[in-house]
């Protein structure tokens, strides 16, 4: 027995009482309705089996930096998210990508883009420099054709960008 277990006639108390007590079957019960990741508050996230207090904070912080989740798979990008936890919560959540807060690439202030997980300092400098020279872009293809974004960067950023021209 562990140091914290109480012994009674050579058995732990729980073991000794087990034949006389009916314990309800403990099942990990997923949430009744899947939780929408972009609008869930901390209590809703905490109700998801596999999401503890630290993960709630990490999810909410990353969601804020992103502007919202475009895909559930982005949870894997959160520091500390294990494959086991990801698989455990996968069936209990969903994403409404229409809730994403888009960045107007042609007019957004640098502070609005800075801190986005997919826009590092070098990319931000390149975007701002070329935006000033060119005046803006009409589409994500403009950014890849001008070698500002790689195809991979463009794919990751597309859900987060809009291209207003005036």
């Amino acid at each position: 027995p562990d140091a914290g277990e109480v012994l009674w006639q050579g058995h732990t108390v729980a073991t000794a009482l087990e034949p006389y007590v009916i314990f309800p079957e403990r099942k990990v019960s997923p949430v009744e309705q899947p939780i929408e990741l972009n609008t869930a508050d901390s209590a809703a996230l905490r109700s998801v089996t596999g999401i503890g207090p630290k993960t709630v904070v990490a999810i909410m912080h990353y969601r804020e930096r992103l502007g919202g989740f475009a895909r559930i798979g982005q949870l894997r990008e959160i520091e500390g998210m294990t494959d086991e936890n990801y698989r455990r919560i996968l069936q209990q959540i969903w994403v409404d990508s229409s809730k994403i807060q888009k960045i107007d690439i042609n007019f957004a202030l640098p502070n609005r883009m800075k801190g986005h997980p997919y826009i590092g300092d070098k990319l931000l400098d390149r975007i701002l420099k070329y935006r000033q020279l060119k005046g803006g872009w009409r589409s994500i293809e403009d950014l890849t054709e001008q070698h500002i974004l790689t195809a991979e960067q463009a794919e990751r950023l597309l859900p987060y960008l809009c291209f207003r021209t005036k």
Side-chain angles (χ1 to χ4, degrees):
D2 292 337
E5 293 179 320
V6 178
L7 293 176
W8 179 72
Q9 293 184 353
H11 298 283
T12 65
V13 172
T15 306
L17 292 176
E18 189 172 22
Y20 307 103
V21 179
I22 299 172
F23 292 103
E25 192 173 319
R26 292 194 73 184
K27 290 182 181 175
V28 174
S29 57
V31 291
E32 287 183 24
Q33 293 217 306
I35 302 296
E36 200 286 310
L37 213 46
N38 286 325
T39 56
D41 62 13
S42 59
L45 289 172
R46 188 65 184 93
S47 72
V48 174
T49 302
I51 296 181
K54 287 181 181 177
T55 307
V56 167
V57 171
I59 289 171
M60 293 183 79
H61 180 69
Y62 198 65
R63 177 178 72 188
E64 179 70 27
R65 289 181 57 217
L66 275 172
F69 290 96
R71 308 174 308 287
I72 290 174
Q74 289 173 295
L75 284 175
R76 291 177 180 258
E77 299 168 10
I78 295 174
E79 191 173 328
M81 179 64 66
T82 64
D83 285 341
E84 182 182 335
N85 257 13
Y86 176 74
R87 284 191 302 274
R88 188 179 301 150
I89 66 177
L90 195 55
Q91 301 302 315
Q92 302 172 72
I93 57 174
W94 66 285
V95 168
D96 180 352
S97 60
S98 72
K99 304 288 185 197
I100 290 174
Q101 298 170 5
K102 298 207 178 241
I103 297 169
D104 184 343
I105 192 78
N106 293 326
F107 296 100
L109 295 173
N111 283 354
R112 174 71 177 93
M113 292 182 273
K114 189 174 183 66
H116 191 283
Y118 302 159
I119 303 176
D121 290 341
K122 287 182 181 179
L123 178 55
L124 178 59
D125 290 344
R126 208 163 49 237
I127 289 170
L128 295 174
K129 176 182 164 190
Y130 281 94
R131 181 172 79 178
Q132 188 174 12
L133 290 173
K134 182 169 175 20
W137 301 277
R138 292 183 316 267
S139 69
I140 198 83
E141 290 79 17
D142 288 350
L143 291 159
T144 55
E145 287 169 7
Q146 294 171 11
H147 305 288
I148 296 164
L149 297 176
T150 65
E152 183 182 304
Q153 288 171 319
E155 187 178 332
R156 288 177 80 189
L157 270 170
L158 183 58
Y160 299 98
L161 302 180
C162 65
F163 296 86
R164 262 188 332 131
T165 53
K166 291 185 183 182

